[in-house]
Amino acid sequence: MSDLKSFASDNNSGAHPAVMEAVVRVNTGHLKSYGDDELSIHTDEVFKEYFGSQARIHYVTTGTAANVLGLRSVTHTYNSVLCAEQAHINNDECGAPEAFGGIKLVPIPSPDGKLTPGMVAPYLGHVGFVHASQPKVISITQPTEVGKLYTLKEIEDLVEFAHDRDLLVHLDGARLANACAALNCSFFDMTTALDVDFISFGGTKNGCLMGEAVIFLNPDIGQGFPYLRKQAMQLVSKMRFVSAQLEAYLKDDLWLKNAQNANAMAKRLAEKAGAIDGVTIKGTVDCNSLFAHIPPEATEILLKKYYFYVWNEHDQTVRWMTSWATTEAMVDEFVDDLRQAMQAVA
């Protein structure tokens, strides 16, 4: 294994030991396949404790599958999905919503990746016009791709706006745990209580091996999802190995502890790096990602030892991201190397 030191993405960290132990623990004996095993059924009930008894949970292995299959299950090919132009479904799914789902995405400009009713309203002018795709879903990302958070009131207002216009609200929650940890609220508070219709629930970025879920909260949608999941090759035969991860992830609030650490390490990095002359932290640090301005020469030095993304080479913005596995020592070592790089190019 390489000695990669990464601040590029929370995807780069491994799985939490408790999750790996859970996978090993269920690797014994014979259980029913395709989600009919006792563990998967039990994990459904655990999810309902967090999201409410009406929740319907379907396990998949990737966030792309969760997003695309969830959206596909509630739309026709003549429908469109409204999202921020920075949204993961728009920029980082390799066209999967269009290619597999036959869904037209309508990206809406947004400085921070968040949508408001006022931003969405101008894109609803062709409702009922046979020559235009018909809006069906507003998809929001919490937190956004640029690390910003919707308040609960902002989500509530957007949901009310959507439902008044017969639109559904999808929440891309690849980092939902980080958002809940930052806002000190529960999964229920952020979704079910606000009448969000369905969720892409992420576990992989916060300590799972490959555990994701599509959760329908609205009882009137998504009935055909099991068939779409099979068509899309996401019906895992040995489903116990996916549900075991998520059961361990939810047990004893491991999800929360992991997210709290990731968020805290991002704030530590921002405070210490921002104190270095010539380093500018861009905006606030809401979750586990931060953006900074540093000279490209310093970036070049750091990239010899660390892996992170140059977010915008034109204005010299880099993105640093922490995870459940990031430690104070890792942050402090990175800051020391950043200070030396800045001194070298001064």
Side-chain angles (χ1 to χ4, degrees):
M1 297 291 289
S2 67
D3 187 29
L4 178 68
K5 297 179 182 295
S6 175
F7 285 90
S9 172
D10 37 15
N11 278 323
N12 298 150
S13 61
H16 191 278
V19 172
M20 294 301 292
E21 289 168 8
V23 172
V24 172
R25 192 163 53 247
V26 299
N27 188 33
T28 182
H30 292 243
L31 291 179
K32 292 181 180 179
S33 301
Y34 303 113
D36 290 330
D37 60 281
E38 294 90 336
L39 178 60
S40 296
I41 293 170
H42 168 71
T43 305
D44 287 354
E45 296 305 311
V46 174
F47 266 102
K48 290 178 182 181
E49 293 176 7
Y50 282 91
F51 288 94
S53 60
Q54 83 292 349
R56 287 172 291 127
I57 302 93
H58 303 278
Y59 306 112
V60 295
T61 59
T62 71
T64 300
N67 282 334
V68 175
L69 290 176
L71 292 171
R72 176 67 185 87
S73 70
V74 301
T75 55
H76 296 288
T77 52
Y78 56 80
N79 286 134
S80 57
V81 173
L82 309 176
C83 62
E85 63 182 0
Q86 301 98 327
H88 198 84
I89 58 172
N90 188 48
N91 290 318
D92 296 283
E93 308 282 31
C94 196
E98 296 90 343
F100 178 80
I103 302 163
K104 180 178 177 61
L105 297 180
V106 178
I108 299 174
S110 169
D112 56 6
K114 292 164 62 175
L115 297 178
T116 66
M119 296 164 66
V120 174
Y123 292 84
L124 302 179
H126 288 153
V127 172
F129 183 54
V130 74
H131 299 286
S133 62
Q134 297 298 292
K136 185 61 180 178
V137 182
I138 300 174
S139 179
I140 63 174
T141 310
Q142 175 74 328
T144 73
E145 290 295 299
V146 291
K148 298 307 172 187
L149 288 170
Y150 287 89
T151 66
L152 299 189
K153 183 62 166 59
E154 287 172 333
I155 297 176
E156 183 179 37
D157 289 346
L158 197 55
V159 170
E160 182 178 354
F161 171 86
H163 288 177
D164 284 347
R165 290 155 181 80
D166 197 29
L167 300 174
L168 301 172
V169 174
H170 164 250
L171 191 150
D172 182 347
R175 297 185 175 96
L176 183 61
N178 299 92
C180 288
L183 293 176
N184 192 29
C185 69
S186 67
F187 291 139
F188 187 94
D189 293 337
M190 190 172 286
T191 59
T192 311
L194 304 179
D195 282 337
V196 170
D197 293 288
F198 63 115
I199 311 158
S200 299
F201 180 90
T204 305
K205 297 181 188 299
N206 195 39
C208 288
L209 178 64
M210 50 170 189
E212 315 278 320
V214 178
I215 305 176
F216 293 102
L217 302 174
N218 182 337
D220 298 324
I221 64 173
Q223 284 79 7
F225 187 90
Y227 305 101
L228 288 170
R229 181 174 61 173
K230 178 63 176 180
Q231 281 187 335
M233 299 161 282
Q234 279 289 320
L235 180 59
V236 179
S237 58
K238 297 182 181 180
M239 190 68 78
R240 58 174 141 162
F241 292 109
V242 180
S243 56
Q245 296 174 57
L246 291 165
E247 194 272 342
Y249 179 65
L250 295 175
K251 185 177 181 180
D252 298 327
D253 285 341
L254 178 63
W255 67 272
L256 180 59
K257 297 168 188 174
N258 286 356
Q260 287 173 333
N261 180 75
N263 292 356
M265 291 303 100
K267 290 187 181 297
R268 182 183 183 90
L269 177 54
E271 290 169 3
K272 289 180 171 287
I276 299 173
D277 288 341
V279 176
T280 301
I281 303 300
K282 191 174 180 179
T284 59
V285 179
D286 294 347
C287 289
N288 64 319
S289 63
L290 59 148
F291 298 80
H293 291 293
I294 63 174
E297 297 83 3
T299 298
E300 187 175 338
I301 293 172
L302 286 171
L303 286 174
K304 293 177 181 177
K305 180 176 179 180
Y306 298 94
Y307 178 42
F308 58 87
Y309 291 123
V310 177
W311 196 255
N312 187 332
E313 61 184 16
H314 301 294
D315 69 358
Q316 302 171 14
T317 298
V318 296
R319 186 188 78 171
W320 298 324
M321 180 163 277
T322 53
S323 78
W324 70 268
T326 305
T327 64
E328 292 184 356
M330 291 169 62
V331 169
D332 294 348
E333 180 182 357
F334 180 79
V335 171
D336 287 343
D337 288 335
L338 171 61
R339 182 178 294 107
Q340 293 177 35
M342 293 297 294
Q343 291 171 351
V345 302

